[in-house]
Structure formats: C-alpha cells, structure tokens
Amino acid sequence: MALQHESTAPYRSVQRALRVLDLVCRGSCGASEEELARETGLSGARLTGLLRMLRREGYVGQGPDGTYLPGEALGRLGTARPPIQDTLDRLRASVGAALYVGRYLDGEVTVIHVNDGPETPAAREWVDFRSAGHATAIGKSLLGQLDGDARRDHLSRHRPARLTSRTITDERVLTRRLGLQPASVPVLDLQEYAVGTVCAAVPVTAGAAVGCLGLSLPVEQVHRLRDAAEILNREAPAVLLSLTL
C-alpha cells in the first residue's frame, strides 16, 4: 500500500522534536537554546516554536538559567497512562470538541483513540466506522492518503451507501474529490455520516503508517468547524509525537 499524498510536515517536526529531547536528556545539566540550535541546525524561530510545543506538552522544562531540562511527561513514559491521553485531553479542552485518532489498519478504517467528555460528547456510531469511510471525515482523510489500487480495493469491499441526503454514493465522484483534496487542508464531513453532526480530520502520518486526527461537533456549532480544524492542523505534530513516544 502506497501513500498518494505524502504529508511529511508533522513527521519532520517529530524527528526534530525527538532530536531535541535526545540532546536535553543526554547531559546531566540539560541543554541551552544556543546548544540546541548549534546541534540541530534549526533556525531561531523554528526552534523557539518547537521548544514552546515541547514545554506545553510537558516533555521539557526550563531551569532558572534558561537551560532546558527533561519534563514531567518524559518521566511518565512507560506508566499506565500513555502520553497520547494527556495530549488529547489538553487539545480537547482547547478545541472544545470530541477528538478521534484514526488509522488505516489491515485494510480497514479504524478509530484507535476517542477523547470526549460531558461537554464534548463523541458522535454516536450508528453505522460501523469501518463501513462508513466514504462518509466520515476520518474515513475520507485515510482513504485520501491511499494510492489508487488500495482505495479501489477498499471501496470494492465497502460500497458507498447513502447514510444521509448529503452522503456521496457515486464512487467516481468520491474518488475524484479524494484525489483533489490537498494534504494540508482539513477534510470535512458536513452531515454526510449523521444528521446533526459535522466533523473534520487532518493527516497524522509517519512513514508507511496512514493516520489522521479528527473532531466532531453538533451541527449547531458548524460555525466553529473550520477554526477548530485549523487548530488540529497546528497540533498534529504534538499528537504524532505522543503516539511515537
């Protein structure tokens, strides 16, 4: 299975983050920003943004002299609560929407994490997500990352069925739209899967793994959808880093 759209920006960000974490943990006294810039070759603005993200996620802290030190989140690695859970908790509070992490595993659209709460309930799975990839934002994001053969194989096993009046059931129309979808633009579901629910998803892909990060909102909050999706885009590297660790 090959990727049609190679969205490598989050993957590169994670590579840089892992390099910074390695340098911070290598010395007993941490590392200064000047040392990190020299060792990683990152520009000031790019390194500053990366360090800000790592501090926000708790992977690094900062001493009184400005030196970067291993953070509390690194110390929790290997404990019962995975890093992805903390990352999704913070992101859900920021976005104000239920969150989902999707993967294309063994030829199926699979949701591997759901993060919701009393104020941000998850969408009701009234049709198995594996059979509704043509209608959900998560499914379309994942299918859009497949090559033509893999996508045709999937749709031959899961024929597009009409779930609402907005569902695309014409395979040619669906394939054309997936092929034209830019990798950097969030995929939207405007009541295609369920009446009363709107969704968005962005790729979270590393190497050969096909993944995405999604959210759902009640249709009454559709005016928030695009801004929330842009937050997902910005936070994709943090989610990918948590999945990696």
Side-chain angles (χ1 to χ4, degrees):
M1 178 180 65
L3 298 182
Q4 182 183 43
H5 299 306
E6 191 70 36
S7 181
T8 59
Y11 183 46
R12 290 196 300 271
S13 295
V14 168
Q15 285 182 313
R16 298 182 190 115
L18 292 174
R19 174 62 174 154
V20 167
L21 291 178
D22 178 58
L23 292 168
V24 168
C25 295
R26 186 178 299 175
S28 58
C29 299
S32 68
E33 189 163 344
E34 292 75 17
E35 290 172 318
L36 294 173
R38 184 174 62 252
E39 294 293 331
T40 63
L42 294 175
S43 64
R46 183 169 291 176
L47 179 59
T48 298
L50 182 57
L51 289 170
R52 186 183 299 119
M53 182 271 285
L54 291 173
R55 288 190 65 189
R56 185 178 67 247
E57 297 299 318
Y59 292 120
V60 301
Q62 205 166 9
D65 61 352
T67 300
Y68 288 91
L69 304 165
E72 293 182 3
L74 283 180
R76 292 196 300 269
L77 294 179
T79 61
R81 185 178 176 84
I84 184 64
Q85 197 65 47
D86 290 330
T87 299
L88 292 177
D89 285 346
R90 286 191 290 273
L91 183 53
R92 174 169 55 86
S94 175
V95 174
L99 300 179
Y100 313 80
V101 178
R103 283 278 177 85
Y104 197 74
L105 298 172
D106 300 323
E108 300 293 349
V109 171
T110 306
V111 176
I112 62 172
H113 290 287
V114 177
N115 190 287
D116 61 355
E119 303 300 321
T120 54
R124 183 173 69 88
E125 188 179 357
W126 77 282
V127 174
D128 193 324
F129 287 145
R130 292 175 297 181
S131 302
H134 64 291
T136 64
I138 286 177
K140 288 188 289 183
S141 178
L142 295 174
L143 293 177
Q145 296 176 62
L146 304 181
D147 64 20
D149 289 340
R151 188 185 301 132
R152 281 190 292 272
D153 172 72
H154 180 93
L155 294 175
S156 71
R157 292 181 287 108
H158 298 290
R159 295 292 183 184
R162 185 171 300 281
L163 306 181
T164 76
S165 62
R166 294 175 176 266
T167 307
I168 300 173
T169 57
D170 187 315
E171 187 173 323
R172 290 172 298 179
V173 173
L174 177 64
T175 299
R176 183 167 63 251
R177 291 193 182 182
L178 292 175
L180 294 174
Q181 176 74 29
S184 59
V185 176
V187 179
L188 303 181
D189 157 20
L190 302 176
Q191 301 189 89
E192 295 173 51
Y193 173 73
V195 174
T197 301
V198 294
C199 306
V202 298
V204 180
T205 301
V210 176
C212 68
L213 175 63
L215 64 82
S216 65
L217 289 168
V219 70
E220 294 80 10
Q221 298 182 36
V222 67
H223 60 282
R224 297 182 48 228
L225 184 62
R226 291 189 182 277
D227 287 343
E230 288 305 318
I231 295 176
L232 285 193
N233 245 347
R234 292 197 301 269
E235 297 298 325
V239 174
L240 182 54
L241 179 61
S242 294
L243 288 169
T244 302
L245 293 172

